[in-house]
Amino acid sequence: MTDPAVLELSAVGLILPSSAGPVTILQGADLSVFPGELVSIVGPSGSGKSSLIAVAAGLEQPTSGVVRLFGESLTDLDEDGRARLRRGRAALVFQSFHLLPNMTALENVSAPLEIARRPKAGAVARDWLGRVGLSHRLDHYPHQLSGGEQQRVALARALAVEPALLFADEPTGNLDQATGAQVADLMFALLTDTGAAMVLVTHDDALAARTRRKLAMSNGRLAAA
């Protein structure tokens, strides 16, 4: 018996206003992701990949269709309800790292653990920073870290809560080729360790080729790549 999908998009559409009039970003997008499954989405800039992640994670409300996260419709939840549903179960990694600048690496990783009321948050955060090779950077602030180090902190922060699903939006997009490859290797190794599913948005075909299933987005629609 197949386990229930951790993420389901059914006929999802997204239309956003602009100065030139309404712009269709997504149209009829369908996607199912199952526990432990790694799915990549490729496509040209502006094709709607990041918008798809935002809708799937409940950061943006679709104009039409249904998004179910862990079996629960996001349409029926307000912003706080969507945040509660994600908490400790879904995590996000972005191209721009999104670390809190006034917090150390240790505090950045500890924060979501504390919000999720996980015991021994500080010890868990230290362990995860060790797993990403940053035991020597615990007390450093984001501006004191390289881009690769910042993304390692972001990975530790996302995976320390042991989510069932990771959304990764161009996780190597701001890194040079060598650093990006190191971060990618680390990300896939950690996903193997944790068993988390992933929806990966990337322009890097080599990165996408490492996932079990590869989809392409064009004109707001998803299709097998």
Side-chain angles (χ1 to χ4, degrees):
M1 181 177 178
T2 303
D3 290 331
V6 292
L7 174 67
E8 293 178 279
L9 276 66
S10 301
V12 167
L14 178 65
I15 300 174
L16 297 177
S18 77
S19 58
V23 177
T24 298
I25 307 297
L26 302 173
Q27 48 182 334
D30 294 306
L31 175 65
S32 294
V33 179
F34 294 91
E37 188 177 20
L38 307 183
V39 178
S40 58
I41 299 170
V42 298
S45 179
S47 61
K49 302 188 304 296
S50 291
S51 293
L52 183 81
I53 286 273
V55 167
L59 304 178
E60 179 87 52
Q61 283 281 59
T63 308
S64 57
V66 177
V67 179
R68 290 186 178 86
L69 189 59
F70 308 116
E72 190 162 350
S73 172
L74 297 183
T75 309
D76 302 330
L77 301 174
D78 60 14
E79 186 174 349
D80 288 342
R82 296 194 298 273
R84 283 194 297 271
L85 181 60
R86 284 192 303 270
R87 188 175 302 154
R89 303 176 74 191
L92 298 102
V93 174
F94 298 97
Q95 177 176 348
S96 301
F97 317 136
H98 288 296
L99 300 179
L100 296 172
N102 61 335
M103 287 188 173
T104 65
L106 182 62
E107 290 167 340
N108 264 283
V109 178
S110 296
L113 290 161
E114 292 167 352
I115 291 169
R117 298 181 180 179
R118 298 294 172 84
K120 301 180 180 178
V124 173
R126 285 175 184 273
D127 175 63
W128 271 92
L129 284 166
R131 292 173 73 172
V132 300
L134 292 176
S135 293
H136 60 305
R137 291 282 196 258
L138 300 181
D139 297 323
H140 286 66
Y141 290 89
H143 74 273
Q144 297 172 310
L145 303 173
S146 69
E149 288 172 334
Q150 290 186 61
Q151 194 62 301
R152 285 169 181 253
V153 174
L155 275 175
R157 179 181 61 182
L159 294 173
V161 295
E162 298 182 0
L165 175 61
L166 175 68
F167 294 101
D169 188 357
E170 297 283 9
T172 61
N174 270 354
L175 306 174
D176 62 66
Q177 186 173 2
T179 304
Q182 292 172 355
V183 168
D185 287 346
L186 178 63
M187 180 177 69
F188 280 99
L190 293 173
L191 287 168
T192 298
D193 289 346
T194 63
M198 177 175 67
V199 178
L200 166 69
V201 159
T202 183
H203 65 275
D204 186 340
D205 285 333
L207 192 60
R210 299 177 66 169
T211 63
R212 187 177 308 166
R213 184 155 51 106
K214 180 180 172 184
L215 303 173
M217 176 156 276
S218 178
N219 298 320
R221 296 184 182 276
L222 278 174

